[in-house]
Amino acid sequence: MTYKMIVLDLDDTLLRDDGTISPRNKQALMAAQEAGVKVVLASGRPTYAMKALADELELERFGSYILSFNGAKIINWKTREEPFSSTLAPETAHALYEMSIQEGVSALTYVGDDIVTEQVNEYTHIEAQITGMKIAEVPSFIEAVQVPVVKVLMVEDPDKLVRVEEKLKAKLTGKLNVMRSKPFFLEFTENGVNKGTSLNHLIKQLGIERSEVIAMGDGYNDVAMLEFAGLGVAMGNAPKEIKQLADYVTDTNMNDGVAQVVESFILNDLIPTT
């Protein structure tokens, strides 16, 4: 099989634990791009928090794309055009905030380049560290959110958030997309929007078949794209459930798992045999 696109989750997949791309991963991805393979970054991160990584991999030069906010936005990194964008109405964000209060968890969203929340805690600090965005602690979430937002997060201790997820999934099925991006992050986007549906939109635009796509990830918010891609690859550090549904399991994010897949399934096919 000749693969034309590789789609990569960021945290705990492409990135090492310190948030950097290893030299081997970068070398493999640059070689793939030089050979004409599209490298696409797909993350729950806001667009702002993906810019530096997209630039490091020179996606602008190669005319590639990023899928931010768990697929709620597709951005052409060369033109900065958005062929797909999904948002939640302010009223929907307000309703989710009210649910977070009822469930005793914190809520946050993004307005401009700020993380907006009423409650600053260890989990909002983790999001700020991951994204590089500033936290705007506001007296009223509802008053601060008066424009459409791409997604809302509920953040809390993982054990508690499991119970909240089960309850709200049952309540919101068919109305909103509810998914876990990390054990302590529960994300809400427009119904039907995830990395898989966004990837489907992108490949149709580019004339690429799903069988020609490799997708790699480690988390529950990666499931849709792993199942959609021709080759769905789970990281060695992924939970057991993610590994079980994947077509292939690679090494961990700390042991160049991404590079191993690129080398084996893409670059090796480009080396002439004698």
Side-chain angles (χ1 to χ4, degrees):
M1 170 59 68
T2 299
Y3 292 103
K4 297 181 179 179
M5 177 182 286
I6 181 163
V7 187
L8 301 166
D9 173 53
L10 294 182
D11 297 294
D12 302 314
T13 297
L14 172 61
L15 303 181
R16 294 180 289 192
D17 292 349
D18 63 0
T20 62
I21 303 173
S22 74
R24 184 179 173 188
N25 279 350
K26 183 175 180 179
Q27 181 179 22
L29 292 171
M30 296 306 292
Q33 290 184 106
E34 293 287 359
V37 177
K38 290 288 187 188
V39 171
V40 176
L41 304 182
S43 176
R45 291 186 179 202
T47 306
Y48 176 91
M50 299 176 69
K51 290 180 179 180
L53 298 166
D55 289 340
E56 182 177 353
L57 293 175
E58 301 184 46
L59 298 194
E60 180 176 353
R61 176 163 73 94
F62 291 105
S64 199
Y65 295 77
I66 69 171
L67 313 182
S68 57
F69 295 103
N70 277 318
K73 280 186 180 291
I74 300 175
I75 301 101
N76 180 321
W77 208 241
K78 184 173 184 178
T79 66
R80 295 305 198 269
E81 294 174 334
E82 295 182 6
F84 177 78
S85 181
S86 166
T87 57
L88 301 175
E91 295 76 18
T92 302
H94 300 167
L96 288 168
Y97 163 77
E98 296 289 356
M99 291 179 199
S100 74
I101 297 299
Q102 294 169 9
E103 300 300 329
V105 300
S106 301
L108 64 85
T109 191
Y110 314 92
V111 177
D113 291 336
D114 291 337
I115 299 168
V116 173
T117 184
E118 282 187 13
Q119 296 174 293
V120 175
N121 55 36
E122 62 180 301
Y123 303 111
T124 52
H125 280 300
I126 290 172
E127 178 67 355
Q129 182 179 16
I130 290 172
T131 63
M133 300 172 75
K134 295 184 299 181
I135 298 173
E137 186 175 10
V138 297
S140 170
F141 182 96
I142 290 175
E143 289 183 10
V145 180
Q146 294 296 317
V147 294
V149 297
V150 179
K151 68 177 181 178
V152 171
L153 269 68
M154 293 185 190
V155 299
E156 188 52 71
D157 173 80
D159 290 337
K160 183 172 185 178
L161 208 55
V162 166
R163 298 189 292 272
V164 174
E165 179 183 14
E166 291 175 353
K167 182 176 180 179
L168 294 187
K169 269 190 174 179
K171 183 176 183 178
L172 297 172
T173 295
K175 299 177 181 178
L176 292 174
N177 195 51
V178 184
M179 60 191 142
R180 186 79 66 91
S181 58
K182 288 188 178 293
F184 38 77
F185 288 166
L186 183 61
E187 310 205 1
F188 301 82
T189 55
E190 188 178 14
N191 189 45
V193 173
N194 56 52
K195 292 183 182 182
T197 55
S198 187
L199 177 56
N200 185 31
H201 186 98
L202 178 60
I203 66 170
K204 284 181 177 179
Q205 176 183 325
L206 298 178
I208 294 174
E209 299 295 328
R210 60 189 294 186
S211 61
E212 298 172 320
V213 177
I214 299 174
M216 299 184 62
D218 72 289
Y220 296 100
N221 61 324
D222 297 317
V223 169
M225 75 171 184
L226 296 185
E227 293 181 330
F228 176 80
L231 182 67
V233 179
M235 301 301 295
N237 49 284
K240 181 180 179 181
E241 310 92 272
I242 308 298
K243 293 177 181 177
Q244 288 175 335
L245 62 83
D247 301 307
Y248 183 84
V249 178
T250 186
D251 211 327
T252 68
N253 66 311
M254 294 299 289
N255 289 324
D256 300 316
V258 167
Q260 291 181 39
V261 169
V262 175
E263 291 161 1
S264 297
F265 290 93
I266 295 177
L267 298 184
N268 280 355
D269 287 343
L270 302 175
I271 301 173
T273 56
T274 57

